[in-house]
Amino acid sequence: VLYFDHNATHPLSAAARAAWLEAVEKYPANPSSPHRLGQRAEAALENARERLAALLGCTVGRIVFTSGATEANNQIIFHHAARGSAGWASGIEHPSLREPLLARFAKPKLVATQPSGEIDLTGLAQALAGDRPAMFALMAANNETGVLQPWQSALAMCRAAGVSYVCDATQWLGRLPARGLGECDFLTASAHKFGGPVGVGFLAGPEKTAGLLLGGPQESGRRAGTENLPGILAMVAALKERETALRAGAADERLAWRQRFERELTAALPAVRILGAEADRLWNTVAVLMPETPDCRRRWVVVLDRLGFAVSTGSACASGKEAPSHVLLAMGIAPAEAGRALRFSAGWATTWADWERLREGLLAAAREMGCSAS
Ligand code: PMP
């Protein structure tokens, strides 16, 4: 099976695997234990924190290791909600931020999205000229479309307005350089999106951030529970490897492959629409609306799976049970159309030959689904 679902999870990198295996051998103790073995584990943990802070460009005290981005996003929302503050976000945030935001704040403002998939910065400026919330969240890159968001501008606008800027960089980190992200007031990410293990991530934020999990002094009281030391060491090893590869230009060639795939796919199947085509997008992500088919209950994702391609979809067809994706709706795509959305997301090991095979697989699926080629 050809795996084109790396935005869901990326396989463990060799560097991360080696770091994880080394850690379980070398650090058998709990970092909170008072003996020398415990102290050794604690030193490794603090060293990992320093290395991560250096990669992000923030101070060490801002890093809180978590179980992933879902926990980190929830922690930020609960932190602000507990103080009775108001919180706003873009309309395209991941559910792990959007749902607690909608549940915990009274009438949170969702800033509009342009048809390109980028946030409407004019709308943000207008909103900030009125009431001011305590926090505003805009992700760095969208998980469904890969559309890069103008987070640097949002950060500057929030800073000028005295609003804390929250950046979910889960899909950006490890795919594009981390440079500048450490300046966000709150930053979240997850190891398994960039070659680290599942079940570990972090938040970078003020030292007074309230804990979501209580009952232990770990992470300076900001996250109770024994630290996942092997996972943390593997995450930092994975990110270091990605940052080094990015500095050597590893994303450039891969962006050219994605662009060529899009050109060739739309030439062969003109009824395919690339979502966010006008915007800058992650080098690994292509979201499309597939052509209409005679039977909308037959799902592209199922046909492609049988043909040997693991791809993703935000939602089922309009007659299906799943609700259409809030991201696609925010971009102005009709619910009936959103049902034909597919997402292809490559990984670091994906080659141009894999993209070519995917293109051929899509043509075969289109024939099977009863779509004509042009
Ligand atoms: N934010 C974004 C943008 C994501 O893509 C994801 C994962 N799909 C998450 C948060 C949640 O991450 P985790 O798997 O670490 O809970």
Side-chain angles (χ1 to χ4, degrees):
V1 172
L2 207 51
Y3 184 70
F4 264 96
D5 197 15
H6 292 81
N7 286 9
T9 192
H10 192 288
L12 197 67
S13 73
R17 185 171 183 276
W20 195 92
L21 289 172
E22 187 189 70
V24 288
E25 292 285 327
K26 213 166 151 188
Y27 306 112
N30 188 320
S32 300
S33 294
H35 41 68
R36 275 179 299 159
L37 282 180
Q39 285 163 10
R40 205 195 288 170
E42 194 194 0
L45 177 69
E46 293 316 314
N47 177 270
R49 198 185 310 278
E50 279 165 27
R51 286 184 289 134
L52 178 59
L55 287 170
L56 298 173
C58 69
T59 53
V60 182
R62 292 177 64 79
I63 308 280
V64 179
F65 292 116
T66 66
S67 66
T70 297
E71 181 189 326
N73 286 339
N74 271 268
Q75 182 166 356
I76 294 168
I77 299 297
F78 278 70
H79 164 78
H80 287 99
R83 303 158 135 211
S85 337
W88 298 351
S90 81
I92 55 164
E93 296 303 301
H94 187 267
S96 62
L97 192 137
R98 178 184 171 91
E99 290 186 16
L101 179 105
L102 294 175
R104 293 283 143 185
F105 294 120
K107 299 203 188 90
K109 194 169 279 181
L110 296 180
V111 176
T113 307
Q114 303 180 78
S116 67
E118 296 155 297
I119 190 182
D120 178 3
L121 281 181
T122 314
L124 175 61
Q126 279 164 359
L128 290 174
D131 309 339
R132 286 182 188 176
M135 59 148 277
F136 170 71
L138 172 65
M139 67 199 335
N142 184 264
N143 48 300
E144 292 189 32
T145 60
V147 171
L148 306 185
Q149 300 299 321
W151 59 266
Q152 296 91 338
S153 306
L155 167 61
M157 289 162 73
C158 286
R159 190 146 287 171
V163 171
S164 282
Y165 173 60
V166 178
C167 185
D168 174 350
T170 303
Q171 296 290 346
W172 177 295
L173 202 67
R175 297 219 181 95
L176 290 173
R179 200 174 40 243
L181 282 173
E183 288 176 31
C184 298
D185 298 297
F186 291 88
L187 177 72
T188 63
S190 184
H192 74 107
K193 307 292 182 175
F194 55 78
V198 185
V200 57
F202 67 87
L203 106 69
E207 299 193 16
K208 58 185 186 313
T209 308
L212 182 65
L213 303 183
L214 309 177
Q218 292 89 351
E219 302 294 296
S220 321
R222 287 176 291 175
R223 205 275 182 181
T226 303
E227 300 88 345
N228 174 2
L229 184 57
I232 290 165
L233 293 178
M235 168 168 72
V236 176
L239 186 58
K240 174 91 184 70
E241 187 184 45
R242 296 301 180 233
E243 285 292 321
T244 307
L246 286 167
R247 268 199 294 281
D252 305 345
E253 180 186 35
R254 289 171 171 82
L255 175 62
W257 294 343
R258 193 212 77 199
Q259 290 167 333
R260 182 169 168 198
F261 166 81
E262 291 172 2
R263 278 196 305 277
E264 295 184 1
L265 178 65
T266 47
L269 277 176
V272 167
R273 180 170 148 210
I274 311 280
L275 299 175
E278 317 80 54
D280 285 338
R281 281 170 289 132
L282 291 170
W283 55 262
N284 80 318
T285 309
V286 183
V288 297
L289 287 188
M290 294 302 286
E292 277 188 71
T293 53
D295 179 0
C296 102
R297 278 160 312 184
R298 280 194 73 197
R299 300 197 54 195
W300 286 97
V301 73
V302 175
V303 173
L304 283 162
D305 193 21
R306 195 163 26 74
L307 292 174
F309 301 90
V311 307
S312 181
T313 165
S315 54
C317 82
S319 65
K321 286 195 180 70
E322 292 166 52
S325 142
H326 66 279
V327 174
L328 303 188
L329 296 184
M331 291 168 71
I333 292 162
E337 285 187 309
R340 289 187 271 115
L342 288 182
R343 178 188 72 189
F344 317 123
S345 51
W348 282 98
T350 305
T351 60
W352 166 243
D354 295 334
W355 282 109
E356 279 185 304
R357 272 192 276 163
L358 176 63
R359 184 199 60 215
E360 290 312 307
L362 287 165
L363 295 183
R367 281 192 295 274
E368 209 180 305
M369 296 282 272
C371 307
S372 54
S374 52

